[in-house]
Amino acid sequence: MKNQNYSQSRSYAPTYQDRPPTRPVKPALPDYRYTREFYRNQPAFGVRATWGPRLVAFIFDFLLVSIPFNTLGNLFWISKAVDEGDNITQTTYTFGIPVEVHNLLWLLVFGLYATLTTLLMGATIGKRIMNLKVVNQTGGSLNPLLLYLRYTAGYVISAVLLGGGFAWAIFDKQKQTLHDKIFRSHVVLADPTRI
């Protein structure tokens, strides 16, 4: 039979959880993103966009222009070589232009698409879907000529370096690509409250 006096007289030994910590515990920090303090520390032109949404927006815009343009090119204006037994003949369509000229035309059309949609809607369709916009150093819109050059010559310069100009945004503190650096533009969140 259990001795009740003995069990009551035993001193209580604190467990490991009851002991005070040997060093002070840091209080949990609140989520800093998208608070007033976060916005105060952002530059005047807005909250910089990371490379992930920018990549998705670029792929969407690229496909939006490429699919119809290349389809029309294959149907109407790209010259094709046709094998007719021992001879290979050049079949030309309505315009009969070489592939190199077709690619140059694609770049000019893509620049026109991106510039017009940015001027009319504030961003390309892909950027609007991803909640992004292109601004200058002060947060305003770029000059139309600079905007067109950014989307054409700037993209070519970034692509010629094996895509390194686009990847620059991953490592840059300002989150700018090479063509952003050249044309002094920034890609920011169009609506920072929408995550």
Side-chain angles (χ1 to χ4, degrees):
M1 185 168 186
K2 194 171 181 183
N3 188 350
Q4 292 179 346
N5 292 333
Y6 174 74
S7 62
Q8 290 174 352
S9 63
R10 261 187 7 183
S11 61
Y12 172 73
T15 61
Y16 177 76
Q17 289 83 5
D18 295 335
R19 294 181 188 148
T22 54
R23 51 182 180 210
V25 178
K26 292 181 181 177
L29 295 174
D31 190 12
Y32 172 68
R33 287 177 8 139
Y34 308 110
T35 60
R36 285 189 182 140
E37 186 181 350
F38 174 78
Y39 289 124
R40 273 197 298 270
N41 293 331
Q42 292 303 312
F45 50 77
V47 180
R48 294 182 183 99
T50 56
W51 65 270
R54 293 184 67 171
L55 178 64
V56 173
F58 173 74
I59 291 171
F60 183 88
D61 290 326
F62 179 85
L63 293 175
L64 191 65
V65 174
S66 294
I67 291 172
F69 187 81
N70 289 329
T71 303
L72 290 173
N74 285 324
L75 290 175
F76 296 113
W77 60 73
I78 297 178
S79 301
K80 288 195 170 100
V82 178
D83 186 5
E84 294 179 348
D86 295 334
N87 300 324
I88 295 178
T89 59
Q90 193 80 6
T91 302
T92 57
Y93 290 91
T94 310
F95 301 103
I97 62 174
V99 175
E100 294 79 12
V101 177
H102 168 80
N103 293 338
L104 179 64
L105 282 175
W106 177 89
L107 180 66
L108 298 176
V109 168
F110 180 82
L112 191 63
Y113 152 79
T115 303
L116 288 177
T117 53
T118 302
L119 290 175
L120 294 174
M121 301 188 304
T124 62
I125 296 172
K127 282 187 173 63
R128 279 187 69 93
I129 291 171
M130 297 308 295
N131 187 31
L132 306 174
K133 66 178 180 177
V134 179
V135 296
N136 61 16
Q137 301 276 31
T138 60
S141 59
L142 286 173
N143 177 313
L145 178 60
L146 284 178
L147 198 59
Y148 186 77
L149 290 173
R150 178 189 182 275
Y151 282 119
T152 53
Y155 275 24
V156 168
I157 292 168
S158 290
V160 162
L161 302 171
L162 300 176
F166 293 104
W168 194 308
I170 299 172
F171 309 104
D172 187 59
K173 288 182 181 177
Q174 306 288 325
K175 295 185 174 70
Q176 287 178 294
T177 58
L178 182 58
H179 51 274
D180 285 329
K181 295 275 187 194
I182 293 170
F183 293 99
R184 296 181 180 183
S185 60
H186 295 273
V187 178
V188 298
L189 298 181
D191 181 7
T193 59
R194 198 182 106 204
I195 303 172

